[in-house]
Each structure stands twice: as structure tokens, then as C-alpha cells.
Amino acid sequence: MRTILRFLTALACVTLLLYCSGSNREEVRMLFTGDILLSDNVRREYKKYGEPPWQNMLSLFRQSDFVVGNLERGEAFGSSINNDDIAMLRMSGFTTISIDSKYSNIANDHSINYIAKELSYNQIASITFSNSPQFFTIKNVVISLVTTNASSMKNSAKAAEFPSVEIMQKIRLARTLSNVVVVCVHWDGELSEKPNQEQLRVASWLTKRGVDVVVGSHTHVVQKPEMVNGKPVFFSIGSYLLDQKYPVTKDGFIADIRIRRGKIYCSGITTHTIPNSFFSRVSSSSVDLRIKPTKINNLFNVSRYTFWPLSVSDELRSKTNLQVFYKNKKVKTKPLNGLVALDIKKLDGRNEYLFTLERHYSNDDNKVGVRPYIYCFDEKNIYARWRGAALAWPLLDAQILPANHEVLCALHEVDSVPSANRQHRGWRVAAYGWNGIEFNIEADSSTCESCKSLYEKLLSAPMPEVKIRGNSSE
């Protein structure tokens, strides 16, 4: 009896050990560091001592699955960064670098292209506004990363209004195709230790539209993380490797985000830069932020079909392809390239169709633009049913109306023809009805009003309805 008891006890211990080991293997750990400068005084210091700035953090970084740093603006215009600096990032454990979004929208800036090419050569993903969202599959968890600029500074490359149609599309695609959506935001508030009203407005808009975690930069000081609409927002994680002289910039923060058992857990690691140095060192290995765990999203699937995103990046340009599986077996089909949006709807009330927006060149207008497609699918193939190049005006965006799946709501550019239906911001909204073969312009005024209301809601940016508290879920 004792032998059997000892055997059962040992078996239980082994089972528990295997269970715990399996759970640990399934945990995904992501680290987000603050602003990084690899030139000027910072470079002089690591050249002097002959070691990378992250020497004391190698173990921490290498034990993590996903390490993201934000390359500061000086690198974009200074062009002083070289391949040795980028190789040092890779050897230190960085997997992804976001290029400061204040300037990352300059598609033809030679220094940014050079940096992106060097990052790619060293197997580090580079994220900019132009090439996001990008999708990363880690231990069967799909993570999407978007970087954007919400700065109103005059010398920003894209000091445009926030939100915009582009950022709406990027967030929507990321939300549809990933378990976790992370948005890195470059915004105002330099040297301010509390988020300003504009930061609150932007954070509220992002979290209301499906963003799971927001990580802010550019203030160069740490701003306390909060829950906004039930989602964690790191308003600013400060500077990580920078040669600023202000004492308040010497304290930094690493966002420590872990995904396990279907939930997102957020904590932090504090850093400090000692006098006469620009290298950050860990001052506290773990900080409880009192932020509640949040659930991850389910992957996009329907009727035993699962849709997996695949990012194909060429430095500053990136395309999202779609891989389709039926009962875990890949469906043989032509890749869906240049995805902007997708959805599954019963357009005729009976059969399910795949609706996509794709960015393609068309001979109809000799432009690369957003084009709507309708696909039919079965267990062996996906094939195009309708290619909507024949809508009334140049297209910015389109969605199936949630309340009526037979209606396509389209956001058009305003052309030179006068129209009583003209919208603010240079938009016009039109409704199209599905007749079983194609979409035709819809004349019903109530349907048109429903489409207008849809886009007004999607693109509005309200302030939070209640005052934000650190441990509140509202």
C-alpha cells in the first residue's frame, strides 16, 4: 500500500511538473522599452567602455519572446547610425524596432530607408506607420503591432488630425486578425509627468475600437499607466537610452506584458540612469501596476475555417497576406494580398461570403487604390465572386452595414462634381445594395443615413466619459 501511495504521489508530482512546464512554455512575454538613441553622447560612452548599453539586461531580454524599442528621431535625420549599431541591438535581444512615428511617415526619407534596410539585414523587424499593422505569431498567439503619430507639433512629418481613415483601417484589420492588438503612439506632452487631454482623447478612441494595449512615447518621462475603457494604457514609458540632461528624464520604465491562459497581464520594470552615464540600469525588477488582466481576442474564423495573417515586409513597405485553413488543413487558393479589411457576411441572407478590401492597381483609373471584393469559398478553394471597381466615386473605405448585411456602406473621396450629399473632411458616404450578383447604388434615404451614422461613429474621437483611475475597469 505504501509503495502504491508513494508511486501515486510521485506520479502526481510529475504530472504537476509537466503541467507547470507546459504552462510556462505557453506564456508569451513582451517587453517594450522607451526611446533609444545610438549616436552622439550615447555612442561615445559605449565606444569608450567597449560594451553594449544593454550588457546588464542581456539575460532579461533573451528570456523574453518579443522585445521592442523605439528608435529616437535623431537617428532618422542624423544618418549617423551604422550596421554595427544595429547588430548590437540584435545581439542584445531586440526583435523589433519602431522607428519614431514623428518622422516614420516620410516614405522617401533616405536615412529611414537605410535604417530599415539595416534592421532587416540583422533580422530585426522595423515598424512604421506606413508598414503597420504587422503580425507576429508567437507560441500560437497572433500579436499585431501598429505605430502611429498623434503629435500636433508643426515639424511632425504627419501632423494630421487624429483619428484618420488610415489609422481606423489599420486598427480594424489588426483587431480582426490577431489575438492581441498593441499600438505604439508618439504624442505630445514632452517632460510632462501626467497625460494631457489630447493623450486621454487618443487613448479613449483607440481602446474603444479594439486596441488591447497602448504604449506611448516621446514625453521622455514616465507617466503612470492607467486603465482606459477597461484596457491598459502606458501613457509614457519614458526614455531608455538618451542623452538628455534633465534629471526627470533619468528614470525610465519597461512595459512587461505577458499572455497566458487567454489573458493579458501587465507589470513593469523600472530603470535609472546614474550620473555621468547614459546607460539605463534596472532599479526594480517588477512593479505591480494594479492593472486588471484582460482577455485576448479569438482569431477570425467561421464554419471550421481559420484565417491566419502573414506579414510580408520590404523595409518600409509591408503587405498582409491571408492564409486560410479548413479543419486545420490549408486551403489551396491564391494569396489575398494587400489586405485592408475583411469580414464574413450572409449577403443574401443564406450563404456566407468573404468580403475584403484590398489595395491594388486598376486599369479603370490607372491608380493603386482600395478595392472591394466578394469571395465564395468551400473546403477546397476560395474564388472571387465580384470585384468592385465600378463604384460611383474613388473609394477610401467600405464596410458591410451591421444591421443589414445586404448593404455596403462606402466612404468616398469628394470629386469635382458638386453634390448636396457632400460630407465634411472631403468625404461622401454612399450606400450600395447587394442584388445577388453585384452592389448597386442605394437610393433609400434611411439606409444612407445609417451608413453616415456608422462612419461618424467610427471616426469620432470622444473624450473618456469618466475620470480615469489607475485600477478602474471603466
Side-chain angles (χ1 to χ4, degrees):
M1 178 64 71
R2 289 182 180 178
T3 302
I4 294 175
L5 184 60
R6 283 197 297 269
F7 172 77
L8 292 176
T9 302
L11 180 62
C13 291
V14 170
T15 302
L16 181 60
L17 180 62
L18 290 173
Y19 175 81
C20 294
S21 299
S23 298
N24 289 335
R25 284 198 301 270
E26 291 303 312
E27 180 181 81
V28 176
R29 188 181 190 186
M30 303 185 292
L31 300 179
F32 287 79
T33 75
D35 298 317
I36 295 173
L37 189 72
L38 293 177
S39 57
D40 303 331
N41 291 324
V42 174
R43 168 178 282 171
R44 281 189 280 272
E45 183 171 351
Y46 65 72
K47 290 293 184 182
K48 177 180 178 181
Y49 294 105
E51 65 179 31
W54 305 279
Q55 188 66 34
N56 62 333
M57 298 188 187
L58 291 179
S59 177
L60 171 67
F61 285 5
R62 290 174 178 176
Q63 289 174 6
S64 301
D65 300 293
F66 196 63
V67 182
V68 184
N70 180 59
L71 203 60
E72 243 295 311
R73 62 184 181 274
E75 310 296 2
F77 288 95
S79 300
S80 58
I81 195 170
N82 58 45
N83 185 260
D84 291 339
D85 301 320
I86 300 296
M88 183 176 58
L89 286 170
R90 179 61 183 174
M91 289 185 294
S92 299
F94 283 94
T95 60
T96 307
I97 291 292
S98 63
I99 299 178
D100 195 324
S101 290
K102 181 178 178 182
Y103 303 106
S104 67
N105 300 320
I106 307 176
N108 61 351
D109 186 87
H110 296 297
S111 59
I112 293 180
N113 278 285
Y114 168 76
I115 293 168
K117 186 176 293 185
E118 292 300 318
L119 288 167
S120 177
Y121 177 79
N122 284 277
Q123 299 179 325
I124 299 176
S126 59
I127 309 293
T128 68
F129 178 81
S130 299
N131 72 10
S132 59
Q134 289 198 33
F135 298 89
F136 305 86
T137 302
I138 305 173
K139 300 174 183 176
N140 290 324
V141 177
V142 180
I143 299 160
S144 59
L145 191 62
V146 177
T147 182
T148 187
N149 175 32
S151 173
S152 60
M153 295 176 65
K154 291 182 180 179
N155 60 345
S156 272
K158 191 168 186 177
E161 76 179 294
F162 189 99
S164 66
V165 174
E166 287 179 287
I167 188 62
M168 177 196 71
Q169 290 174 336
K170 291 175 184 294
I171 298 302
R172 183 180 62 202
L173 183 63
R175 175 65 182 84
T176 301
L177 289 177
S178 60
N179 298 114
V180 179
V181 182
V182 182
V183 174
C184 297
V185 188
H186 174 283
W187 46 26
D188 296 334
E190 191 166 358
L191 301 182
S192 175
E193 297 182 49
K194 292 183 179 180
N196 58 34
Q197 292 298 298
E198 182 64 10
Q199 287 173 276
L200 297 178
R201 182 182 75 88
V202 171
S204 179
W205 186 89
L206 290 170
T207 51
K208 280 187 175 181
R209 281 151 186 82
V211 175
D212 297 293
V213 182
V214 177
V215 180
S217 67
H218 178 62
T219 71
H220 302 308
V221 296
V222 176
Q223 294 178 344
K224 182 182 177 183
E226 307 278 4
M227 294 290 278
V228 180
N229 300 319
K231 301 293 184 180
V233 176
F234 294 85
F235 280 100
S236 176
I237 52 179
S239 297
Y240 183 64
L241 189 67
L242 208 63
D243 59 357
Q244 287 204 346
K245 60 184 178 179
Y246 306 106
V248 71
T249 65
K250 301 300 182 182
D251 291 318
F253 194 84
I254 299 175
D256 190 350
I257 302 168
R258 307 190 191 205
I259 304 165
R260 61 178 180 269
R261 297 179 183 176
K263 290 188 177 181
I264 304 169
Y265 297 83
C266 295
S267 62
I269 299 168
T270 58
T271 63
H272 180 72
T273 303
I274 63 175
N276 302 317
S277 174
F278 303 109
F279 290 9
S280 293
R281 292 164 171 80
V282 172
S283 55
S284 176
S285 60
S286 183
V287 178
D288 183 5
L289 304 177
R290 298 186 180 276
I291 287 181
K292 296 179 180 179
T294 56
K295 292 182 179 180
I296 68 173
N297 311 309
N298 294 323
L299 285 181
F300 187 64
N301 62 83
V302 62
S303 302
R304 300 187 181 182
Y305 288 86
T306 304
F307 299 81
W308 285 80
L310 177 64
S311 291
V312 180
S313 182
D314 177 17
E315 284 89 45
L316 291 178
R317 295 173 298 277
S318 181
K319 286 185 177 180
T320 299
N321 294 345
L322 196 64
Q323 299 180 93
V324 185
F325 294 84
Y326 179 76
K327 296 181 180 179
N328 297 323
K329 183 178 180 181
K330 190 173 182 179
V331 174
K332 293 182 179 180
T333 182
K334 183 179 178 180
L336 304 181
N337 299 320
L339 276 176
V340 176
L342 74 158
D343 203 352
I344 295 284
K345 296 296 183 184
K346 292 184 178 180
L347 300 179
D348 56 8
R350 301 184 307 276
N351 303 302
E352 291 177 326
Y353 296 87
L354 177 66
F355 165 76
T356 70
L357 288 182
E358 302 172 32
R359 195 174 299 279
H360 292 301
Y361 175 84
S362 174
N363 291 324
D364 290 346
D365 54 12
N366 297 317
K367 291 181 180 179
V368 175
V370 176
R371 319 288 178 184
Y373 287 78
I374 299 295
Y375 293 91
C376 298
F377 55 91
D378 55 35
E379 62 186 62
K380 294 182 179 180
N381 197 11
I382 292 181
Y383 48 94
R385 173 71 179 272
W386 177 77
R387 300 180 181 183
L391 296 181
W393 300 281
L395 189 65
L396 293 172
D397 190 69
Q399 296 190 62
I400 303 297
L401 186 64
N404 185 348
H405 295 178
E406 297 180 8
V407 174
L408 178 71
C409 296
L411 188 69
H412 291 290
E413 296 179 23
V414 171
D415 55 22
S416 59
V417 180
S419 170
N421 196 28
R422 186 165 294 185
Q423 302 288 302
H424 65 292
R425 302 179 183 178
W427 304 337
R428 83 166 77 232
V429 178
Y432 297 83
W434 178 254
N435 63 12
I437 301 175
E438 60 183 359
F439 283 102
N440 293 322
I441 194 75
E442 178 67 58
D444 181 67
S445 60
S446 63
T447 303
C448 293
E449 286 300 321
S450 296
C451 286
K452 289 179 187 178
S453 298
L454 173 67
Y455 274 104
E456 287 173 358
K457 182 178 179 180
L458 287 171
L459 290 166
S460 63
M463 286 293 297
E465 297 177 359
V466 296
K467 186 176 180 180
I468 298 172
R469 297 180 176 86
N471 60 356
S472 171
S473 62
E474 296 295 325

